[in-house]
């Protein structure tokens, strides 16, 4: 609860206009319940992990289910209740073009996915595009939707994050072309994706906000409050 209060305070106090726009876009999509796929792109320090935590806390405070996953175990440690994608969705380790997740109708994992409002997938460029397509096929099966509905992931809201300038997936003995064609933006799912960008350095914004707050505090302590006390006396 305390973490939720602190995150909410920091978001509305020190967030950038870009972050507010992204937050509103994703929350509105969740509230509409019409499904959607987003990709949050930004350099280091622009507040991508901060956005994940804020979105997760905002929805969980309303008792909505949010799944926070990552392509690697190290990245999942930075997320609230984070898990790896292969663990949460039972994705086969050797993923092929026709692979699906080991989740079927009637089991607890399927019921959890049905009730989930938002799926957050961190470090998406590190995973093979067949992993995302396997999840898409599985969610379409669980939600009883077909490809003709033109809605990816069974109508669920899925938000990916990553930086294509950082570490991409590893293709054994693969060429540069093989790696490029195995990333998420080479998948058919990319046609449904809305790209959201963060360009402002959040650390700098936060430092400026804290500096301004300290200046206001000093002014109150050194000028306004002593005068107010003098008038009372």
């Amino acid at each position: 609860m305390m973490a939720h209060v602190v995150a909410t305070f920091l978001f509305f106090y020190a967030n950038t206009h870009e972050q507010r726009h992204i937050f509103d876009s994703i929350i509105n999509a969740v509230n509409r319940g019409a499904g959607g796929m987003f990709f949050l792109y930004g350099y280091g320090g622009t507040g991508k992990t901060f956005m994940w935590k804020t979105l997760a806390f905002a929805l969980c405070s309303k008792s909505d289910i949010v799944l926070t996953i990552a392509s690697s175990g190290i990245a999942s440690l930075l997320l609230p209740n984070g898990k790896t994608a292969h663990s949460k969705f039972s994705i086969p380790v050797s993923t092929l073009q026709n692979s699906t997740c080991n989740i079927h109708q009637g089991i607890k994992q399927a019921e959890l996915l049905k009730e989930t409002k938002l799926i957050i997938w961190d470090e998406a460029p590190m995973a093979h595009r067949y992993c995302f397509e396997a999840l898409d096929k599985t969610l379409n099966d669980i939600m009883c939707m077909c490809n003709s509905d033109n809605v990816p992931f069974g109508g669920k809201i899925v938000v990916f994050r990553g930086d294509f300038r950082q570490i991409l997936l590893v293709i054994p003995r693969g060429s540069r072309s093989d790696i490029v064609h195995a990333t998420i933006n080479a998948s058919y799912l990319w046609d449904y994706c809305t790209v959201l960008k963060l360009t402002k350095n959040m650390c700098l914004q936060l430092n400026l906000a804290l500096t301004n707050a300290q200046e206001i505090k000093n002014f109150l302590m050194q000028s306004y409050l002593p005068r107010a006390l003098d008038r009372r006396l």
Side-chain angles (χ1 to χ4, degrees):
M1 182 64 182
M2 181 59 66
H4 172 243
V5 173
V6 172
T8 303
F9 170 77
L10 286 174
F11 178 76
F12 287 103
Y13 181 72
N15 71 311
T16 64
H17 293 295
E18 291 176 335
Q19 291 172 337
R20 180 68 64 85
H21 169 70
I22 292 170
F23 179 85
D24 291 340
S25 299
I26 296 175
I27 291 297
N28 290 336
V30 173
N31 292 335
R32 289 196 304 269
M37 175 181 170
F38 299 89
F39 187 93
L40 180 58
Y41 177 78
Y43 305 110
T46 53
K48 298 185 294 294
T49 303
F50 177 76
M51 285 297 306
W52 289 163
K53 293 181 179 179
T54 306
L55 284 166
F57 287 136
L59 291 173
C60 289
S61 66
K62 300 189 297 182
S63 300
D64 290 334
I65 298 177
V66 180
L67 300 183
T68 51
I69 62 170
S71 298
S72 68
I74 298 298
S76 67
L77 296 177
L78 301 176
L79 302 174
N81 300 318
K83 300 286 185 181
T84 62
H86 287 78
S87 172
K88 177 62 71 174
F89 299 131
S90 300
I91 301 174
V93 175
S94 299
T95 314
L96 304 176
Q97 187 172 5
N98 59 347
S99 295
T100 58
C101 303
N102 189 24
I103 302 176
H104 309 287
Q105 292 279 8
I107 66 175
K108 290 184 178 180
Q109 282 179 294
E111 298 303 319
L112 175 65
L113 289 174
K114 286 182 180 180
E115 300 297 327
T116 298
K117 293 291 186 180
L118 176 66
I119 297 174
I120 295 173
W121 191 321
D122 199 7
E123 298 297 348
M126 293 180 64
H128 199 289
R129 66 184 178 96
Y130 291 160
C131 295
F132 312 114
E133 294 173 4
L135 178 61
D136 175 57
K137 298 168 189 173
T138 302
L139 285 175
N140 284 334
D141 177 64
I142 292 173
M143 303 303 295
C144 299
M145 301 184 70
C146 59
N147 294 332
S148 60
D149 295 324
N150 292 324
V151 179
F153 300 107
K156 296 294 179 181
I157 305 294
V158 183
V159 185
F160 298 100
R161 187 211 96 165
D163 185 355
F164 290 101
R165 297 171 182 261
Q166 296 180 1
I167 301 175
L168 298 178
L169 70 161
V170 176
I171 303 294
R173 296 180 296 277
S175 64
R176 180 176 180 177
S177 176
D178 294 330
I179 296 174
V180 170
H181 285 87
T183 55
I184 184 173
N185 57 347
S187 172
Y188 65 84
L189 293 168
W190 194 254
D191 295 335
Y192 303 99
C193 187
T194 300
V195 178
L196 305 172
K197 294 183 179 180
L198 287 172
T199 59
K200 296 183 179 179
N201 191 298
M202 185 184 173
C203 298
L204 178 61
Q205 291 286 123
L206 182 58
N207 288 335
L208 291 175
L210 293 177
T211 300
N212 293 336
Q214 186 63 40
E215 292 177 353
I216 294 172
K217 178 182 177 181
N218 293 337
F219 169 76
L220 292 175
M221 296 298 294
Q222 298 174 7
S223 178
Y224 177 77
L225 289 179
R227 292 177 185 176
L229 290 174
D230 289 340
R231 283 196 292 271
R232 284 194 172 187
L233 294 175

